[in-house]
Amino acid sequence: YRRHGHNEGDEPAFTHPRMYQLIGAHAPVAALYGDWCDQQGVMNKQDQQQVRQEYHARLKASLDKAKLENADGAVAILPAGGQKAAAPASTGVFEETLRTIAACLTSVPAGFHIHPKLQQIIANKAQLLGEKNQVDWALAESLAFGTLLCEGTVVRLSGQDSERGTFAQRHLTWWDVASPTPAPYTPLNALRPDQAPFRLYDSPLSEFSVLGFEYGYSLVDPDVLTIWEAQFGDFANGGQVIVDNYLLSAESKWRQKSGLVLLLPHGSEGQGPDHSNGHLERFLQRCAQDNIQVCNATTPAQYFHLLRRQVKCGARKPLIIMSPKSLLRHPVVVSYLSDLTHGSFNEVLDDPWKTENAKRLLLCSGKVYYDLLAQREKTAKSDVAIIRLEQLYPFPTQNLKSVLDRYALKREIIWVQEEHKNYGAWRYVCDRFSTEFPEVNIVYHGRPEAASAATGRLKEHRQEQQMLVESVFMRSKS
């Protein structure tokens, strides 16, 4: 109930006189709880009063400090171009360390009865690493977590089905199938005796409450890598109030910093309008004053370095990751272990074929890159270069310029996205090009505008996707 009505200046007795007579005669919650604590011996009333006085003293001291800092009456505005949201950081890890952690992640303890299918999944990862020196998305993620834990950083992950992963790709906790009582084992908590704890929670399907809690946790314990994962990116809809009112604007409004990470599975893959889109466009619309980081990594190594950069870069800024779905098991989406041992997160990925004499430049972000890559190989269009924006905000102007300067023909670039034209990154990227690269003509290629994020018919989706990737390679140069 509201003891003061709508606010302290309201007079609720105008419309609810009897109810507010009852409320006025009812002891406040704090008083009732204080009486209970006194009776149970938890804390006597004298100690409770001391806590109140100390708390009020801290509030008054903070208020006095704030008044002193703004004595001239100026409004505190976070300056544009302040602390950068994505400072470069060296995030490579020694190969020996990675292999030691990987061995722990793929070894079943003696006497532990693991599910046979899970045992095969783990064996496949060990084989991929042992025979080809490669890691998939889930193993790269676990290695990022593991290295941070061994370096003393607490990692906290919550979300719907986060233990096994929504797409059964993660399997961070194993269960003994022969035990009569639940017997879980989490390898990331068994790396070494002096490691930091790994905290993992399958949370309720209540995004507003869980995201609000995790945001608060990131404030209370800023040294923890706190991650919240939506089951599908669209499910961030349920936590939009937390995103808008706190995550994206708290630093500007209250100088309140957070390093919370959001994992939003994103990609148009025929799973329907409510399971396709992490609403990238919403986050990009709110990007200003280095308030957040928005990334769409396309390789396991990039994801590995991105997670580690969040801890190592020194800037506490929210990190929004459009995480993959089908790429979790895509045979091409693997990285070599050497990609994890050196370097850092690359904001822009040039075409690995370095086709400097390309007649057409395609710029994209996320999963659609692999669709374009497959079509290029199918059509043998070697004169088309595909460049990836792995970080959308802060916009990587200098890095993108360095990549574009390698190409002789760069007056026109085709932005390719699988999201509808009024979704995704198109309008944001177009606006950035108009200010950062005014000499370059960037044109759109993708689905037309639509009210819904995606079609609900799988057959229609496949036809749209095929037409999208085929037509861009048939497109004539304007």
Side-chain angles (χ1 to χ4, degrees):
Y1 66 94
R2 285 181 168 181
R3 178 164 289 273
H4 301 289
H6 180 67
N7 56 52
E8 290 83 348
D10 190 21
E11 180 46 86
F14 288 153
T15 48
H16 298 285
R18 177 57 183 155
M19 182 171 71
Y20 273 88
Q21 286 177 4
L22 296 172
I23 289 174
H26 185 69
V29 173
L32 292 172
Y33 184 61
D35 290 341
W36 182 87
C37 288
D38 183 47
Q39 294 165 10
Q40 297 295 320
V42 175
M43 180 181 286
N44 62 42
K45 291 191 175 182
Q46 184 178 354
D47 290 341
Q48 292 177 33
Q49 183 60 25
Q50 183 178 349
V51 169
R52 290 191 189 95
Q53 291 174 350
E54 291 174 352
Y55 181 67
H56 281 287
R58 289 199 302 271
L59 290 177
K60 186 178 184 306
S62 297
L63 179 60
D64 292 343
K65 182 181 178 182
K67 287 180 177 178
L68 186 63
E69 289 176 350
N70 295 283
D72 60 354
V75 178
I77 300 177
L78 193 70
Q83 184 187 28
K84 294 300 181 183
S90 178
T91 49
V93 178
F94 290 121
E95 181 177 340
E96 182 180 358
T97 301
L98 293 172
R99 289 194 181 276
T100 299
I101 294 173
C104 185
L105 298 176
T106 55
S107 299
V108 181
F112 187 90
H113 304 90
I114 194 169
H115 193 287
K117 290 184 179 179
L118 178 54
Q119 186 170 23
Q120 186 58 53
I121 291 172
I122 294 167
N124 291 341
K125 292 181 186 296
Q127 183 179 15
L128 183 67
L129 179 60
E131 295 181 1
K132 296 184 178 181
N133 291 320
Q134 292 178 338
V135 296
D136 62 9
W137 196 276
L139 183 54
E141 177 186 71
S142 292
L143 288 173
F145 292 162
T147 55
L148 290 171
L149 294 169
C150 290
E151 293 165 2
T153 297
V154 177
V155 178
R156 175 186 176 88
L157 171 64
S158 71
Q160 300 117 11
D161 287 331
S162 285
E163 287 191 5
R164 70 175 178 89
T166 295
F167 311 101
Q169 85 283 1
R170 186 175 281 135
H171 300 291
L172 293 175
T173 294
W174 309 340
W175 296 85
D176 192 321
V177 296
S179 175
T181 57
Y185 170 68
T186 302
L188 280 170
N189 273 324
L191 300 176
R192 45 193 264 189
D194 61 343
Q195 70 168 82
F198 177 58
R199 296 167 181 161
L200 176 66
Y201 306 96
D202 278 346
S203 55
L205 200 66
S206 178
E207 293 81 7
F208 174 79
S209 60
V210 178
L211 179 54
F213 183 88
E214 298 302 336
Y215 173 74
Y217 198 100
S218 73
L219 304 182
V220 173
D221 201 341
D223 294 328
V224 173
L225 177 61
T226 303
I227 305 171
W228 177 74
E229 179 179 54
Q231 194 169 51
F232 287 88
D234 316 65
F235 289 17
N237 286 336
Q240 197 63 42
V241 172
I242 303 299
V243 171
D244 287 341
N245 289 355
Y246 299 95
L247 192 67
L248 304 184
S249 57
E251 185 174 2
S252 178
K253 291 189 290 189
W254 311 304
R255 300 182 182 177
Q256 183 68 70
K257 297 181 179 181
S258 167
L260 182 64
V261 178
L262 266 58
L263 300 181
L264 304 179
H266 175 82
S268 186
E269 295 167 324
Q271 292 178 296
D274 299 316
H275 292 79
S276 298
N277 199 311
H279 292 289
L280 173 62
E281 65 286 341
R282 289 183 191 167
F283 293 98
L284 295 176
Q285 183 186 30
R286 293 288 302 277
C287 288
Q289 299 178 299
D290 283 312
N291 59 333
I292 57 174
Q293 307 161 83
V294 181
C295 297
N296 198 355
T298 56
T299 73
Q302 282 281 84
Y303 182 45
F304 171 89
H305 289 296
L306 184 57
L307 289 173
R308 286 182 53 80
R309 186 184 76 170
Q310 184 67 1
V311 174
K312 301 295 183 181
C313 72
R316 287 180 56 217
K317 303 280 184 174
L319 170 60
I320 314 302
I321 301 178
M322 296 289 122
S323 54
K325 294 179 288 183
S326 64
L327 300 190
L328 297 170
R329 291 185 179 81
H330 197 296
V332 179
V333 186
V334 292
S335 295
Y336 286 97
L337 194 64
S338 59
D339 297 329
L340 279 56
T341 61
H342 64 276
S344 58
F345 176 73
N346 293 305
E347 299 171 344
V348 182
L349 288 180
D350 194 3
D351 195 314
W353 278 268
K354 297 289 192 302
T355 51
E356 287 85 354
N357 297 318
K359 297 179 180 178
R360 190 173 306 145
L361 298 184
L362 307 183
L363 184 62
C364 66
S365 187
K367 164 194 158 284
V368 73
Y369 166 76
Y370 291 98
D371 297 325
L372 296 172
L373 184 64
Q375 183 65 21
R376 184 173 69 177
E377 293 175 350
K378 178 180 177 181
T379 58
K381 290 278 188 178
S382 58
D383 60 348
V384 177
I386 311 173
I387 303 166
R388 284 168 278 177
L389 271 183
E390 300 281 286
Q391 177 174 294
L392 290 152
Y393 188 82
F395 192 73
T397 301
Q398 292 305 316
N399 288 337
L400 182 56
K401 182 179 185 303
S402 297
V403 170
L404 295 180
D405 282 347
R406 298 174 187 162
Y407 296 91
L409 193 64
K410 60 178 181 182
R411 288 187 300 275
E412 179 177 282
I413 294 176
I414 302 172
W415 171 261
V416 185
Q417 69 176 40
E418 59 183 7
E419 302 93 344
H420 288 283
K421 190 174 185 179
N422 54 322
Y423 287 81
W426 160 242
R427 287 174 176 166
Y428 165 83
V429 170
C430 182
D431 180 65
R432 285 298 186 272
F433 262 77
S434 68
T435 56
E436 305 294 341
F437 300 97
E439 73 284 359
V440 177
N441 181 35
I442 185 167
V443 295
Y444 173 79
H445 184 92
R447 287 174 167 84
E449 293 184 348
S452 176
T455 177
R457 298 177 63 241
L458 180 59
K459 182 179 180 181
E460 184 176 341
H461 158 76
R462 287 173 173 168
Q463 290 173 342
E464 289 177 355
Q465 197 76 359
Q466 183 177 358
M467 184 181 301
L468 187 153
V469 296
E470 286 181 353
S471 57
V472 74
F473 285 92
M474 294 186 294
R475 184 171 182 151
S476 60
K477 192 85 169 63
S478 60

